[in-house]
Short mmCIF file of all heavy atoms in Angstrom, two decimals:
data_model
loop_
_atom_site.label_atom_id
_atom_site.label_comp_id
_atom_site.label_asym_id
_atom_site.label_seq_id
_atom_site.Cartn_x
_atom_site.Cartn_y
_atom_site.Cartn_z
N ILE D 233 12.11 13.42 13.30
CA ILE D 233 12.77 13.14 14.58
C ILE D 233 14.28 12.99 14.46
O ILE D 233 14.95 12.64 15.44
CB ILE D 233 12.18 11.89 15.26
CG1 ILE D 233 12.37 10.65 14.36
CG2 ILE D 233 10.71 12.10 15.60
CD1 ILE D 233 12.04 9.33 15.07
N GLY D 234 14.82 13.19 13.27
CA GLY D 234 16.28 13.22 13.16
C GLY D 234 16.95 11.93 12.70
O GLY D 234 18.17 11.85 12.72
N VAL D 235 16.16 10.96 12.25
CA VAL D 235 16.79 9.69 11.89
C VAL D 235 16.96 9.43 10.40
O VAL D 235 17.67 8.51 10.01
CB VAL D 235 16.06 8.47 12.51
CG1 VAL D 235 16.11 8.55 14.02
CG2 VAL D 235 14.63 8.35 12.02
N CYS D 236 16.34 10.24 9.53
CA CYS D 236 16.31 9.85 8.11
C CYS D 236 17.22 10.66 7.20
O CYS D 236 17.53 10.23 6.09
CB CYS D 236 14.88 9.90 7.57
SG CYS D 236 14.28 11.57 7.27
N MET D 237 17.62 11.85 7.62
CA MET D 237 18.51 12.72 6.83
C MET D 237 17.89 13.23 5.54
O MET D 237 18.60 13.50 4.58
CB MET D 237 19.83 11.99 6.49
CG MET D 237 20.52 11.35 7.66
SD MET D 237 20.89 12.48 9.01
CE MET D 237 22.26 13.38 8.32
N THR D 238 16.58 13.40 5.49
CA THR D 238 15.99 13.95 4.26
C THR D 238 15.88 15.47 4.31
O THR D 238 15.76 16.10 3.27
CB THR D 238 14.56 13.41 4.02
OG1 THR D 238 13.74 13.75 5.12
CG2 THR D 238 14.56 11.93 3.81
N CYS D 239 15.91 16.05 5.50
CA CYS D 239 15.49 17.44 5.70
C CYS D 239 16.65 18.41 5.77
O CYS D 239 16.52 19.48 6.37
CB CYS D 239 14.70 17.52 6.99
SG CYS D 239 15.75 17.05 8.40
N VAL D 240 17.76 18.05 5.17
CA VAL D 240 18.99 18.81 5.40
C VAL D 240 19.07 20.08 4.54
O VAL D 240 18.46 20.17 3.49
CB VAL D 240 20.23 17.94 5.10
CG1 VAL D 240 20.27 16.76 6.05
CG2 VAL D 240 20.22 17.48 3.66
N LEU D 241 19.85 21.01 5.01
CA LEU D 241 20.22 22.17 4.20
C LEU D 241 21.61 22.62 4.61
O LEU D 241 22.08 22.27 5.70
CB LEU D 241 19.17 23.28 4.28
CG LEU D 241 18.98 24.13 5.51
CD1 LEU D 241 17.83 25.10 5.28
CD2 LEU D 241 18.72 23.29 6.74
N PRO D 242 22.31 23.36 3.72
CA PRO D 242 23.69 23.71 4.03
C PRO D 242 23.76 24.87 5.03
O PRO D 242 23.21 25.94 4.78
CB PRO D 242 24.27 24.12 2.66
CG PRO D 242 23.09 24.45 1.80
CD PRO D 242 21.88 23.77 2.37
N VAL D 243 24.39 24.60 6.14
CA VAL D 243 24.47 25.58 7.23
C VAL D 243 25.94 25.72 7.64
O VAL D 243 26.65 24.71 7.78
CB VAL D 243 23.61 25.13 8.43
CG1 VAL D 243 23.84 26.00 9.65
CG2 VAL D 243 22.13 25.14 8.04
N VAL D 244 26.36 26.95 7.85
CA VAL D 244 27.74 27.21 8.28
C VAL D 244 27.80 27.13 9.80
O VAL D 244 27.02 27.80 10.49
CB VAL D 244 28.20 28.61 7.84
CG1 VAL D 244 29.69 28.80 8.13
CG2 VAL D 244 27.91 28.83 6.37
N GLY D 245 28.70 26.34 10.30
CA GLY D 245 28.83 26.19 11.73
C GLY D 245 29.69 27.30 12.35
O GLY D 245 30.25 28.13 11.64
N ASP D 246 29.78 27.29 13.69
CA ASP D 246 30.59 28.29 14.38
C ASP D 246 32.06 28.16 13.97
O ASP D 246 32.82 29.13 14.04
CB ASP D 246 30.47 28.10 15.90
CG ASP D 246 29.06 28.42 16.38
OD1 ASP D 246 28.36 29.21 15.70
OD2 ASP D 246 28.65 27.86 17.42
#
Side-chain angles (χ1 to χ4, degrees):
Chain D
I233 60 169
V235 298
C236 75
M237 310 303 286
T238 59
C239 62
V240 297
L241 72 182
V243 171
V244 187
D246 293 334

